[in-house]
Amino acid sequence: MLWIPIDRTLDIPLKRQVYEYIRKLILNGELKAGEKLPATRECASQLGISRNVVIEAFEQLLAEGYIVGQQGSGTFVAEGAFLEQMQDERTTTLEISEECIQEKGVIDFRSGLPALDIFPRKDWGRLAKDVCLEAPDYAFGYDHPEGRLELRKILSQYLRRTRGVNCHADQIVITSGATQAFSLITKLLLSQGDKVIIEDPITNEIQTIFTSTGATLIPIPVDEQGMRTDLLSDGEKPKFIFVTPSHQFPLGSILPIQRRIQLIQYARVNECYIVEDDYDSEFRYDGEPISSLQGLDSERVIYVGTFSKNLSPALRMGYLVLPQALIERCRSLKWFHDLHTPSLNQMLLARFIEEGLLERHIRKMRKVYMKRREVLREALIREFGHSGEISGDSTGLHLIAEFKGIEFTEDLIERLYQNHVKVYPVEHHTIHKGRHVNKVILGYGNLREQEIEEGIRNLRKVLGN
């Protein structure tokens, strides 16, 4: 008997579901070479589907060489169709898929997600229609790898005005999100055995991107004022230093001017670059947004920004502001990556910024997030009192909650999940383990106020037992 899970609620045709499932069983070795498959009639009867569906799936598998038919004997798994690493790949894919699915009834304190329900759809839709109708014919063709000039010009003005970034349009490369920006940096600067000085803790994804080249990470601890620049060693000779100076991720500290100057002086002496990730600093609640590090030395700092936090991750739009020496090489690498970021989206974003809609949206969302932050703070104080401590909440879409006597193990995280609340341990983002076991990241950007309160009540039910 060959049991295949059939889901009629999916948009995937039934024959494709049958084909995909048998294909995976063959590739990962669960169906072995020479093993006989059930007859199409028997298989259709067991699954409660049409025999023609099974026949079409088998025909596709036959055409691609996964199975062979023997006259009068039946259908068998072909030789040489087992791919050993598929088991690990399949597990990873399933884990990623589960991470991205929002479970119904689970209150997810995931950080970095803006309020998806307050995306400015009306303005965006109006401009999308205008751009599509008004765009010249050549805009529908291939474009320059560095991005549309009108967007780069408007973006350079916006960054100078709002973030103190010292740049002109030619220094900007538009990317398909910040992830591609970091990938381009690794290809620009890193080779096997190179060193990168990096904050500890820092987002796991960044660590993975940088080490994918074979580079070695040199972790520098973070305190309430950001990276401990007094611990930088002249003997390391790194290719670059990675920092989140305006809102350290995940701990939320802000790098003061004294440490910024130390960092730049270190980079100058060691002839390396500084990579500044400015991912959510527009949303500062205790004063004006912190000025960029790049504004202190535009030839030593590579500035990375994104529209995933202030607008939507679905846009897949980010950018690099580069020192002069790296511009041409980065443009070439961008061309090899994906030719260029979608032109119509760039034209639309340029109009959105030019008409003042981005800054208007940020002002609106700052008020929304400030209220959600206060609801979260009040809920934590109400439920945990002095046993909980809050930090890193002056900027951005998350804060850090620290609980005395609690260690957020995998078992505890699972128990919380079973009680309909999902939180994210700081320890998952550390390089040196054991320093932040009692801290969790609580993102509030994409949670309504009642969800925040319910989530903290659920957290208290589990941690209080």
Side-chain angles (χ1 to χ4, degrees):
M1 177 177 177
L2 182 62
W3 175 250
I4 301 171
I6 296 295
D7 188 346
R8 298 179 188 275
T9 66
L10 297 178
D11 292 334
I12 304 170
L14 295 180
K15 65 180 178 182
R16 190 73 188 180
Q17 293 186 42
V18 174
Y19 157 82
E20 288 283 2
Y21 196 77
I22 296 176
R23 175 180 175 272
K24 286 180 181 179
L25 292 178
I26 294 171
L27 281 171
N28 65 37
E30 291 182 51
L31 285 175
K32 304 186 184 307
E35 190 169 339
K36 187 176 182 179
L37 298 180
T40 56
R41 192 184 304 277
E42 177 189 351
C43 188
S45 176
Q46 290 171 351
L47 299 177
I49 59 178
S50 165
R51 185 187 177 200
N52 287 338
V53 170
V54 180
I55 290 173
E56 289 181 26
F58 275 37
E59 286 176 347
Q60 185 65 31
L61 291 164
L62 186 66
E64 295 182 17
Y66 290 99
I67 60 177
V68 292
Q70 296 180 11
Q71 186 95 23
S73 299
T75 306
F76 299 84
V77 177
E79 294 284 344
F82 166 55
L83 188 61
E84 188 171 0
Q85 69 269 30
M86 261 316 277
Q87 182 64 42
D88 290 335
E89 289 178 2
R90 185 180 64 167
T91 302
T92 302
T93 302
L94 286 171
E95 288 174 353
I96 292 171
S97 300
E98 290 167 3
E99 178 70 22
C100 296
I101 292 172
Q102 177 72 46
E103 291 282 350
K104 189 174 181 181
V106 175
I107 296 169
D108 190 347
F109 284 96
R110 180 176 179 177
S111 64
L113 266 184
L116 303 180
D117 59 321
I118 315 181
F119 181 80
R121 297 187 189 206
K122 187 175 180 180
D123 287 329
W124 193 263
R126 172 180 60 82
L127 289 178
K129 179 181 178 182
D130 291 347
V131 166
C132 189
L133 292 175
E134 296 168 10
D137 292 346
Y138 64 81
F140 292 86
Y142 293 108
D143 216 328
H144 298 292
E146 65 270 24
R148 300 283 303 181
L149 180 59
E150 64 262 47
L151 175 57
R152 291 185 288 115
K153 280 183 175 179
I154 291 167
L155 188 54
S156 67
Q157 295 163 6
Y158 170 80
L159 291 173
R160 189 179 301 115
R161 185 175 66 254
T162 63
R163 302 294 301 113
V165 172
N166 180 20
C167 72
H168 51 77
D170 287 345
Q171 287 178 262
I172 296 176
V173 172
I174 304 299
T175 62
S176 300
T179 300
Q180 186 184 62
F182 295 128
S183 180
L184 289 170
I185 289 169
T186 63
K187 288 178 169 59
L188 269 174
L189 299 179
L190 293 181
S191 301
Q192 178 80 29
D194 286 339
K195 295 179 181 179
V196 175
I197 290 178
I198 194 167
E199 298 170 332
D200 184 18
I202 194 65
T203 175
N204 224 311
E205 291 80 0
I206 291 293
Q207 298 177 42
T208 301
I209 291 170
F210 292 161
T211 56
S212 66
T213 61
T216 300
L217 301 182
I218 309 297
I220 303 294
V222 170
D223 63 16
E224 65 278 359
Q225 291 189 312
M227 177 183 276
R228 289 278 308 277
T229 50
D230 60 310
L231 298 180
L232 294 171
S233 170
D234 286 334
E236 299 296 354
K237 300 299 179 186
K239 288 293 183 177
F240 62 84
I241 308 159
F242 181 85
V243 286
T244 51
S246 296
H247 185 224
Q248 201 280 329
F249 185 89
L251 297 183
S253 49
I254 296 169
L255 197 68
I257 185 60
Q258 293 80 6
R259 291 192 183 185
R260 292 178 183 227
I261 290 172
Q262 288 178 339
L263 201 59
I264 289 171
Q265 289 174 336
Y266 179 89
R268 288 174 177 176
V269 169
N270 288 274
E271 298 183 338
C272 67
Y273 290 103
I274 300 168
V275 176
E276 176 181 10
D277 181 9
D278 194 16
Y279 64 99
D280 70 355
S281 62
E282 296 99 332
F283 300 114
R284 179 164 164 77
Y285 312 113
D286 301 333
E288 293 297 311
I290 303 298
S291 295
S292 69
L293 178 65
Q294 192 270 358
L296 298 175
D297 191 336
S298 60
E299 287 306 306
R300 194 56 64 184
V301 180
I302 301 168
Y303 181 89
V304 181
T306 177
F307 293 96
S308 293
K309 309 298 185 293
N310 56 20
L311 275 175
S312 167
L315 302 182
R316 302 313 310 136
M317 196 85 73
Y319 52 91
L320 282 163
V321 179
L322 296 157
Q324 200 71 34
L326 299 178
I327 295 171
E328 287 306 319
R329 285 176 55 213
C330 188
R331 288 179 177 181
S332 296
L333 283 171
K334 170 63 177 172
W335 185 87
F336 278 110
H337 259 245
D338 60 0
L339 294 183
H340 60 85
T341 299
S343 302
L344 293 179
N345 289 348
Q346 293 186 56
M347 295 165 68
L348 173 50
L349 182 58
R351 286 278 296 274
F352 193 80
I353 299 172
E354 187 177 30
E355 294 189 11
L357 296 173
L358 176 61
E359 289 180 73
R360 188 175 78 181
H361 180 68
I362 289 172
R363 287 194 299 270
K364 174 183 177 181
M365 298 314 299
R366 192 178 286 133
K367 293 177 183 177
V368 171
Y369 296 142
M370 186 181 295
K371 178 61 176 173
R372 292 182 180 184
R373 178 192 70 155
E374 288 310 306
V375 169
L376 177 55
R377 285 175 54 88
E378 289 169 4
L380 285 166
I381 293 168
R382 183 173 59 251
E383 296 294 335
F384 294 97
H386 296 298
S387 64
E389 186 175 324
I390 300 166
S391 61
D393 62 334
S394 66
T395 305
L397 306 179
H398 75 272
L399 57 74
I400 299 299
E402 179 177 353
F403 300 92
K404 296 174 184 176
I406 299 292
E407 182 174 345
F408 285 93
T409 62
E410 293 299 327
D411 286 344
L412 178 54
I413 296 301
E414 179 60 28
R415 272 205 295 137
L416 288 166
Y417 186 77
Q418 295 303 321
N419 283 270
H420 312 295
V421 62
K422 191 170 185 179
V423 300
Y424 298 83
V426 170
E427 194 71 5
H428 285 180
H429 299 284
T430 60
I431 299 172
H432 286 142
K433 300 297 181 183
R435 297 175 180 174
H436 303 282
V437 295
N438 63 338
K439 299 173 187 174
V440 287
I441 307 162
L442 298 177
Y444 51 82
N446 194 39
L447 291 175
R448 292 179 175 87
E449 293 165 21
Q450 61 269 28
E451 292 175 315
I452 292 171
E453 292 179 331
E454 183 183 347
I456 298 305
R457 284 196 298 270
N458 291 347
L459 185 65
R460 175 62 178 168
K461 286 176 186 175
V462 177
L463 297 188
N465 291 338

